[in-house]
Amino acid sequence: MPRGRNSPPHWGHQLGCLPCRDWGPKSCPAWGIPRPLPLLCRDMGLQNALYTGDLARLQELFPPHSTADLLLESRAAEPRWSSHQRGLWSLTYEEELTTPLHVAASRGHTEVLKLLLRRRARPDSAPGGRTALHEACAAGHAACAHVLLVAGADPDIPDQDGKRPLHLCRGAGTLECAELLLRFGAKVDGRSEEEEETPLHVAARLGHVELADLLLRRGACPNARDAEGWTPLLAACDACCPSPADAEVTTARCLQLCHLLLSAGADADAADQDRRRPLHLACRHGHAAVVELLLSHGVSTNTMDYGGHTALHCALQGAAMTLAQSPERVVRALLNHGAVRVWPGALPKVLERWCTSPRTIEVLMNTYSVMQLPEEAMGLVPPETLQKHHRFYSSLFALVRQPRSLQHLSRCALRSHLAGYLPHALPRLPLPPRLLRYLQLDFEDVLY
């Protein structure tokens, strides 16, 4: 007989016992205290009402004394290859279990969430590995997170990947969700189970300045290390630019995070298991302002990682995208803080890689008293680049095997004499600003 609009939803067979974490130790059947098992519901009308937040329809489907302790099947958006018996593979949709509470929390249906909780939905149910609180925080629905926490949801429970709700805070309601979790007892330095990341690691990696500030004010450790030895400062300096258009925004966020972490006591020279330091990562990604900030905190410019790379190596081996972020500033800052110069035999390779950034070539060449390039080096620069930067490359190749100007030789002699004291001594010299800038390798877009 067909069911009418007001008929109860069709609920399928009962499932076997769920993990004890899902039941709680005093209600698990294994303890001899049976509890009605959740029903598997395949009623499409109920699921449609849940996904659309149709409160009136759900009030009809869940009258007083009914239960919302149900399981729903959800399918992945894309089919995946899966193996069945006899070694056969087929392309099928991966099915996962969820609950009405999870659907409401992930969609931000606060009133629906309240109704389901009144109908005995369990706030910490996690048939698919996540609780409804994980879903609410991942979607940034602070009002839903508040309802669940008031109903007794565990603010520190790990999901199937070992991540706690505080690790998953995203979206417009990130700060509100994080504040609620901390107020209801979430550990500010709670770690994920595999990566051993703290929420501060996640905030730093994602460039979320406001969240990092909140966590630090609530006592988060700025020098906590994850399973690979990374600190939040390392995570912040490793921020990559998704595109040249986003370079300025990414670098600005990275700079704000580094200021914040260093002010909170982060170790500016902390190394990971591969001996990579914040300066190595900032140089590799071309974050010039961050490099200058780290150098102002006295980090070493010539420390090598396990691969034998110094910060200058990292800067010169960075991705081509760093061209949009003034790599010449990074190279100049390192050289003005005592970085060991590039081996002369490697200069042709550097010229070939960075020829489209003539200022990077300029600042490197201005640390040598003689232009140490082979005469055939001109062939390393594409004709269109030679034409675009004609004045600079004309001056560069005119100096091959030729003496440099007396003024430049004097600069080289003074910088060599000051050596390791360069970053501290140069600003203290009683010299006119223009001459001081010259000694600090100011750009002139031509070589003498």
Side-chain angles (χ1 to χ4, degrees):
M1 177 178 177
R3 292 182 290 117
R5 175 176 172 80
N6 295 318
S7 302
H10 173 65
W11 296 331
H13 60 280
Q14 290 186 331
L15 300 180
C17 181
L18 296 175
C20 288
R21 167 178 109 174
D22 204 41
W23 291 98
K26 293 186 178 179
S27 60
C28 178
W31 286 71
I33 306 175
R35 174 176 179 166
L37 299 176
L39 298 175
L40 181 62
C41 174
R42 293 191 175 94
D43 187 276
M44 296 308 298
L46 170 63
Q47 296 194 29
N48 185 61
L50 283 169
Y51 280 99
T52 58
D54 189 344
L55 182 62
R57 178 60 178 150
L58 289 168
Q59 286 172 331
E60 295 175 2
L61 293 172
F62 292 111
H65 309 298
S66 65
T67 179
D69 190 16
L70 306 174
L71 291 176
L72 308 174
E73 285 181 334
S74 64
R75 285 187 171 186
E78 298 291 336
R80 299 178 183 176
W81 288 101
S82 58
S83 175
H84 298 284
Q85 57 184 351
R86 297 184 181 178
L88 298 177
W89 288 79
S90 62
L91 194 61
T92 60
Y93 287 94
E94 184 177 338
E95 293 185 347
E96 295 179 351
L97 292 177
T98 186
T99 71
L101 204 65
H102 286 72
V103 175
S106 65
R107 300 250 165 176
H109 301 321
T110 310
E111 295 305 316
V112 172
L113 204 64
K114 293 177 181 177
L115 170 67
L116 297 172
L117 289 166
R118 289 197 300 269
R119 298 296 183 263
R120 294 183 293 161
R122 288 171 292 153
D124 282 338
S125 176
R130 278 188 176 187
T131 66
L133 184 59
H134 285 105
E135 299 289 354
C137 292
H141 298 312
C144 290
H146 184 256
V147 169
L148 290 164
L149 289 164
V150 170
D154 186 342
D156 235 10
I157 191 170
D159 66 6
Q160 76 276 15
D161 296 321
K163 292 181 171 58
R164 305 170 192 273
L166 199 53
H167 290 100
L168 300 179
C169 289
R170 303 284 191 279
T174 296
L175 288 180
E176 292 84 354
C177 288
E179 286 175 341
L180 283 166
L181 291 167
L182 293 169
R183 190 194 315 163
F184 278 83
K187 298 175 183 176
V188 71
D189 280 330
R191 293 178 179 271
S192 58
E193 292 183 350
E194 291 187 14
E195 298 89 353
E196 297 183 22
E197 282 189 323
T198 66
L200 187 58
H201 280 97
V202 178
R205 176 162 43 81
L206 298 179
H208 203 312
V209 181
E210 296 80 6
L211 180 56
D213 182 43
L214 169 66
L215 295 169
L216 287 168
R217 284 189 282 108
R218 295 299 181 90
C221 177
N223 289 309
R225 292 183 179 272
D226 66 10
E228 295 184 357
W230 280 53
T231 65
L233 184 60
L234 281 162
C237 291
D238 195 43
C240 298
C241 301
S243 68
D246 298 322
E248 187 175 345
V249 174
T250 302
T251 300
R253 287 179 182 169
C254 181
L255 180 62
Q256 286 180 280
L257 276 165
C258 291
H259 267 299
L260 194 63
L261 291 163
L262 291 167
S263 299
D267 184 352
D269 220 14
D272 69 359
Q273 293 178 353
D274 293 325
R275 294 187 181 176
R276 289 175 298 188
R277 301 169 190 270
L279 187 63
H280 291 118
L281 299 175
C283 287
R284 189 171 296 280
H285 295 298
H287 300 316
V290 177
V291 169
E292 291 166 352
L293 173 65
L294 292 169
L295 290 171
S296 71
H297 278 72
V299 300
S300 172
T301 55
N302 293 312
T303 303
M304 294 182 181
D305 62 14
Y306 264 132
H309 301 113
T310 66
L312 185 58
H313 291 139
C314 292
L316 295 175
Q317 292 172 3
M321 193 179 295
T322 59
L323 283 173
Q325 303 176 63
S326 304
E328 68 273 10
R329 280 182 55 194
V330 174
V331 174
R332 182 178 64 180
L334 292 170
L335 291 169
N336 282 335
H337 280 78
V340 175
R341 296 176 301 174
V342 177
W343 175 57
L347 286 174
K349 185 179 294 185
V350 174
L351 174 64
E352 184 176 19
R353 180 177 176 82
W354 291 98
C355 60
T356 54
S357 176
R359 284 189 166 186
T360 301
I361 305 301
E362 175 189 346
V363 74
L364 284 169
M365 295 303 178
N366 276 338
T367 60
Y368 300 91
S369 57
V370 177
M371 188 65 62
Q372 304 192 45
L373 281 176
E375 294 182 0
E376 61 272 16
M378 183 181 294
L380 299 173
V381 184
E384 59 272 17
T385 304
L386 285 173
Q387 184 176 0
K388 182 177 180 180
H389 305 288
H390 174 72
R391 180 169 178 259
F392 172 76
Y393 281 112
S394 295
S395 68
L396 170 67
F397 294 120
L399 287 172
V400 172
R401 306 296 179 185
Q402 298 297 319
R404 301 291 300 268
S405 68
L406 181 59
Q407 180 175 297
H408 171 72
L409 294 175
S410 300
R411 172 170 60 181
C412 286
L414 181 57
R415 287 176 62 91
S416 177
H417 177 72
L418 293 174
Y421 302 101
L422 200 64
H424 308 290
L426 278 182
R428 298 181 182 181
L429 293 177
L431 297 172
R434 184 176 178 181
L435 182 54
L436 186 59
R437 290 196 300 271
Y438 179 76
L439 289 172
Q440 292 173 323
L441 305 177
D442 197 19
F443 303 114
E444 298 178 272
D445 300 315
V446 67
L447 291 171
Y448 299 103

